[in-house]
Amino acid sequence: MKFSVGYQLSGEDEPPFSGALGGLLDHVAEVYFPWPDTPSGRAVMAVQDGCVDWNGRETLENDLRLFKKRNIKLNLLLNANCYGRDSLSEHFRNFICSLIAHLCENIGLDGVTTASLFAAAAVRKEFPALDVRASVNMRIGTIGAMKMAAAYFDSFCVQREFNRDLERLAELKNWADGNGKKLIMLANSGCFNFCPGQVFHDNLVAHEREISGMKNTAGWNPCVCRNYLADRRAWSALLQNSWVRPEELVHYGGLFPLVKLATRMHANPERVLRAYIEGKFTGNLLDLFEPGFAPLLYPFIIDNTRFPADWFRRTTSCSRRCGDCKYCEEVMDAVLVKL
């Protein structure tokens, strides 16, 4: 099993991202990255509050060339949830094509991940050799959805809410194999399943520059998850999400030859990658996720070594009727440790 990891732009006194991953690059099949000063599924890279990292593009391109020398594939992110007035524009299409042409000619691009059907159609038409992947934020988790989107995409990052539904994943894999499509899984998302605030939050991220330039209402947190976790009684819901522990990844080998790890904003991407390569982790499980929420539980941690032996079997075969079950509450009592 190989991994797809999210790129981080290193600071002035930090080693390049290719070096930050240490000797683990043999396990990396793909690096996914945004373009500087361009909206994506996370905060804009190389610009913060008007301050620009003028060397950002050069640093990024140098890193990408190093990855290509290691035969690691490169996947460009055009996965913002919204591109505003440019969403269907010739300007946006020209930008996409110009950027991709530059990357193909000067570095060597292998694929594009997007949540925009417009962008997907443009890339499929102009760059048929590239793998066009549906972003996990499109929430494609049914055969019907894949059929509808098949003309736009070569591969799909499966809706993360179904990571623990092995029967459904097997059905998706069978359809994908029979129709020339590929599937990958995002293994370490810390987001809540079926979060009612996801679309709202993704739109905020996409329009971050415009929003940050406004005089916004103070004292209100737009992240429903953080507000929810302020109540200690809600903590067991953290166990009901989509993440897969490193120890459990072995069960997915026949389903996903490529596993995506969220590391673009993570404080220690090397720790995340190493844990999933080794298939084990000793420490606070929340430290592997993005977002991790660890500060919200402090001084408590979720001790990854204390999960019961039947955890994977129970959580991949349950009815998903969490209101009628106390199992995760019982497990939380077992794994929650005060420092």
Side-chain angles (χ1 to χ4, degrees):
M1 186 177 287
K2 295 280 188 174
F3 297 93
S4 175
V5 296
Y7 179 82
Q8 287 191 21
L9 187 62
S10 303
E12 291 184 4
D13 300 323
E14 299 175 337
F17 184 67
S18 54
L21 295 182
L24 305 178
L25 288 181
D26 287 343
H27 299 273
V28 176
E30 177 186 88
V31 169
Y32 59 95
F33 65 97
W35 192 245
D37 200 19
T38 302
S40 68
R42 291 288 188 274
V44 173
M45 187 171 70
V47 178
Q48 185 174 10
D49 295 330
C51 295
V52 180
D53 180 353
W54 297 107
N55 296 317
R57 172 174 163 175
E58 180 181 2
T59 300
L60 169 63
E61 292 195 2
N62 288 338
D63 262 344
L64 296 181
R65 291 188 179 95
L66 288 172
F67 288 127
K68 287 299 290 186
K69 288 181 179 179
R70 296 289 297 267
N71 294 317
I72 295 172
K73 292 184 177 181
L74 302 178
N75 190 290
L76 171 67
L77 298 178
L78 295 171
N79 65 333
N81 209 46
C82 177
Y83 288 95
R85 65 183 183 182
D86 280 332
S87 294
L88 305 176
S89 70
E90 283 295 318
H91 178 275
F92 184 42
R93 190 179 191 281
N94 290 340
F95 169 74
I96 291 171
C97 293
S98 175
L99 172 58
I100 292 175
H102 166 74
L103 291 171
C104 288
E105 294 168 9
N106 294 282
I107 299 175
L109 189 65
D110 300 284
V112 174
T113 294
T114 185
S116 164
L117 294 174
F118 177 77
V123 178
R124 285 295 297 272
K125 180 179 180 180
E126 300 298 333
F127 303 93
L130 296 183
D131 176 80
V132 185
R133 183 176 302 158
S135 167
V136 68
N137 290 331
M138 292 187 74
R139 295 182 170 182
I140 295 179
T142 65
I143 291 176
M146 289 196 297
K147 286 181 177 180
M148 293 177 67
Y152 298 91
F153 299 104
D154 303 295
S155 60
F156 299 90
C157 192
V158 175
Q159 183 174 353
R160 55 183 174 76
E161 282 87 350
F162 299 119
N163 281 358
R164 298 180 186 174
D165 189 339
L166 299 185
E167 183 177 352
R168 177 189 290 264
L169 294 179
E171 292 174 354
L172 298 180
K173 180 69 162 52
N174 287 337
W175 183 90
D177 288 346
N179 289 273
K181 306 297 181 182
K182 300 175 184 177
L183 301 182
I184 74 168
M185 173 181 70
L186 173 59
N188 69 324
S189 172
C191 290
F192 279 80
N193 279 358
F194 304 104
C195 175
Q198 180 180 341
V199 174
F200 177 67
H201 186 232
D202 286 347
N203 282 337
L204 291 179
V205 173
H207 293 284
E208 183 180 64
R209 174 173 292 180
E210 301 161 68
I211 294 170
S212 64
M214 300 295 292
K215 183 179 180 180
N216 296 309
T217 301
W220 190 78
N221 191 333
C223 298
V224 63
C225 50
R226 293 184 177 275
N227 298 328
Y228 183 55
L229 290 173
D231 185 346
R232 166 66 178 81
R233 294 170 296 180
W235 289 3
S236 62
L238 288 167
L239 303 186
Q240 298 164 0
N241 295 325
S242 67
W243 44 263
V244 174
R245 296 166 63 231
E247 292 80 359
E248 299 155 3
L249 203 59
V250 64
H251 299 288
Y252 293 84
L255 296 168
F256 302 104
L258 182 66
V259 173
K260 178 180 178 180
L261 297 176
T263 57
R264 287 177 60 194
M265 307 295 291
H266 199 281
N268 193 335
E270 187 271 342
R271 174 194 289 167
V272 176
L273 179 57
R274 183 177 298 278
Y276 281 93
I277 290 172
E278 295 179 350
K280 62 181 180 180
F281 179 67
T282 301
N284 186 2
L285 183 63
L286 297 179
D287 288 342
L288 297 182
F289 304 152
E290 186 183 294
F293 300 121
L296 301 184
L297 273 62
Y298 185 82
F300 292 92
I301 66 167
I302 294 178
D303 187 340
N304 188 50
T305 66
R306 296 171 65 94
F307 276 80
D310 67 349
W311 166 256
F312 183 76
R313 179 184 62 81
R314 289 285 297 270
T315 55
T316 56
S317 61
C318 70
S319 65
R320 311 294 192 282
R321 297 181 181 275
C322 298
D324 301 328
C325 177
K326 301 295 183 183
Y327 178 70
C328 285
E329 293 181 17
E330 295 168 359
V331 172
M332 180 59 88
D333 288 339
V335 299
L336 196 66
V337 175
K338 188 173 184 179
L339 296 176

